[in-house]
Amino acid sequence: MDPDAHDIHRILGDQRKRLDKIASATDRALLATWVTAWEDIATDIETILAKAGAEGVTNTVRVRRAQQAIAVIARQLRRSARAAGVAIGGDVREMIEQAQADTVAMIGQQLEGVEQLAANLLRADPAQIEAIGTRVQKTVTARVWDLQADAVEAVRAELVRGVATGAHPNAQASRMLQAVQGLFMGGLTRARTIARTETIDAYRAAAMATEQANADVLAGWLWIADLGQRTCMSCVAQHGSLHKLEEPGPEDHPNGRCARVPVTKSWKQLGYKGIKDPPRPAKAGDGPRWLARQARDVQDHILTKRGAQAWRNGEWGPPHWSVPRDNPGWRRSWVAGKPPKH
């Protein structure tokens, strides 16, 4: 491998290690926030509904006190959602700063030999970078609240059922706790996916802003996948594709770790003659070519057995492996295509 390409792959390897480290820290922060929120919610439900079940309390008072419990829980969850956004704030800003450094380093590797160009590379505008970090925190806070609001609805549904059947508040509280705990803790997995994906997207957004600050020397960016047995067919198909600087991405699936690698213009385009252009880390079609060299079981795992067989028969090629999916309230993502049925 050419030394320049090797250095870029080294930067990418370090980047993935940092992303994994940040993801683990984010997971721990979210878990702590989630557990604390549940402990507060469970205590509130038990305390308030126990009061509602006291001797001589009318049904009207029971309903009013249970509604108070819902209001208290909603406030707890809003605080929890804000805490989730705050918890990842430091990690997001660390990733944003690293994205700028990595992007400048990858551009500089390709401009070695002309010191003036390499020395004059710029970072993104600080206000633009700050806006990226703020947006991610707000997005995580809003989406975590959406998940936790489902728990409030579960409490409300259990309250209505309890009042309609005349259930004793103590029994009602027990059912309510069981129903809500499952839903509430189940949302943690989705919250982790949201936080991980938004953190990685913040890295990509900062890289994009840094590229735009150096647009005069760049031709675009490459979609680079971490090729292996666990790589999805969509990312395999996209690997090595060239994109315009103003295009966000890689817009891969949630939890995806594909990288955005800046590509410099040719030396001729930059006004220099007699200098050999550096090799690119990958080019269009490298993903499918890599897959063709893999063992049959790897191909079956990535494309599914039906898809792999259709590919071998020449009936289902790489253009069908990656398809766009719209996600209302979030960004578009490229996901695995569906193999032909026959």
Side-chain angles (χ1 to χ4, degrees):
M1 182 182 295
D2 185 276
D4 290 332
H6 175 78
D7 286 340
I8 290 177
H9 280 285
R10 177 185 53 76
I11 294 172
L12 289 176
D14 291 342
Q15 174 200 118
R16 291 189 178 103
K17 291 178 182 177
R18 280 189 290 270
L19 288 174
D20 288 341
K21 181 179 178 181
I22 292 296
S24 296
T26 299
D27 283 349
R28 290 192 296 272
L30 280 176
L31 177 60
T33 299
W34 224 260
V35 170
T36 299
W38 171 248
E39 290 173 347
D40 291 341
I41 290 170
T43 299
D44 289 335
I45 292 176
E46 291 174 332
T47 300
I48 295 178
L49 291 187
K51 292 180 180 179
E55 291 294 332
V57 175
T58 65
N59 197 52
T60 300
V61 173
R62 285 173 52 195
V63 173
R64 185 166 63 248
R65 288 182 176 175
Q67 288 174 333
Q68 291 173 351
I70 293 175
V72 170
I73 291 168
R75 289 195 295 272
Q76 292 280 15
L77 293 180
R78 288 192 183 94
R79 286 197 293 270
S80 175
R82 286 195 295 271
V86 171
I88 72 165
D91 294 333
V92 168
R93 281 169 170 75
E94 178 184 341
M95 291 305 300
I96 287 173
E97 287 299 317
Q98 191 61 51
Q100 295 186 87
D102 288 349
T103 301
V104 168
M106 286 189 283
I107 297 172
Q109 288 291 339
Q110 299 170 70
L111 295 177
E112 281 190 347
V114 180
E115 185 176 342
Q116 181 180 2
L117 289 179
N120 290 329
L121 295 175
L122 303 173
R123 289 198 170 204
D125 179 79
Q128 191 175 7
I129 292 300
E130 180 61 27
I132 292 171
T134 300
R135 182 196 65 78
V136 172
Q137 283 189 280
K138 287 183 177 179
T139 299
V140 170
T141 299
R143 290 178 69 82
V144 166
W145 164 244
D146 287 342
L147 291 177
Q148 295 183 343
D150 290 343
V152 176
E153 289 306 309
V155 174
R156 195 185 309 277
E158 185 62 36
L159 168 66
V160 171
R161 186 176 71 171
V163 171
T165 61
H168 191 279
N170 291 337
Q172 186 180 338
S174 178
R175 283 198 305 272
M176 194 179 293
L177 283 170
Q178 292 177 3
V180 177
Q181 184 175 18
L183 181 60
F184 184 77
M185 296 308 292
L188 177 58
T189 299
R190 294 171 61 193
R192 283 173 169 170
T193 295
I194 290 168
R196 283 180 177 224
T197 304
E198 287 293 336
T199 300
I200 292 172
D201 277 354
Y203 182 100
R204 295 164 175 164
M208 176 180 174
T210 307
E211 290 167 2
Q212 291 175 331
N214 298 284
D216 56 327
V217 299
L218 296 177
W221 62 271
L222 290 175
W223 182 314
I224 301 295
D226 185 14
L227 297 177
Q229 187 170 350
R230 297 176 59 188
T231 309
C232 82
M233 68 175 80
S234 175
C235 297
V236 170
Q238 294 283 359
H239 180 71
S241 56
L242 181 64
H243 303 260
K244 296 180 179 179
L245 290 180
E246 60 269 22
E247 182 180 342
E251 293 180 323
D252 57 358
H253 49 80
N255 279 331
R257 299 194 308 162
C258 289
R260 178 187 181 106
V261 174
V263 177
T264 56
K265 296 176 180 177
S266 69
W267 283 115
K268 183 178 180 181
Q269 290 174 313
L270 292 172
Y272 296 88
K273 297 180 180 180
I275 304 178
K276 183 180 179 181
D277 290 323
R280 293 181 177 177
K283 55 183 180 292
D286 275 1
R289 283 189 284 271
W290 168 85
L291 186 61
R293 298 192 299 269
Q294 304 310 302
R296 191 182 185 92
D297 63 329
V298 174
Q299 297 171 352
D300 290 348
H301 179 76
I302 291 175
L303 298 178
T304 74
K305 288 186 177 181
R306 190 173 72 236
Q309 190 56 55
W311 169 52
R312 297 182 192 110
N313 292 342
E315 300 168 352
W316 193 59
H320 302 289
W321 299 353
S322 182
V323 296
R325 174 186 292 171
D326 291 327
N327 301 289
W330 196 50
R331 64 161 171 81
R332 179 187 67 169
S333 59
W334 289 86
V335 299
K338 294 184 178 180
K341 295 183 178 180
H342 301 291

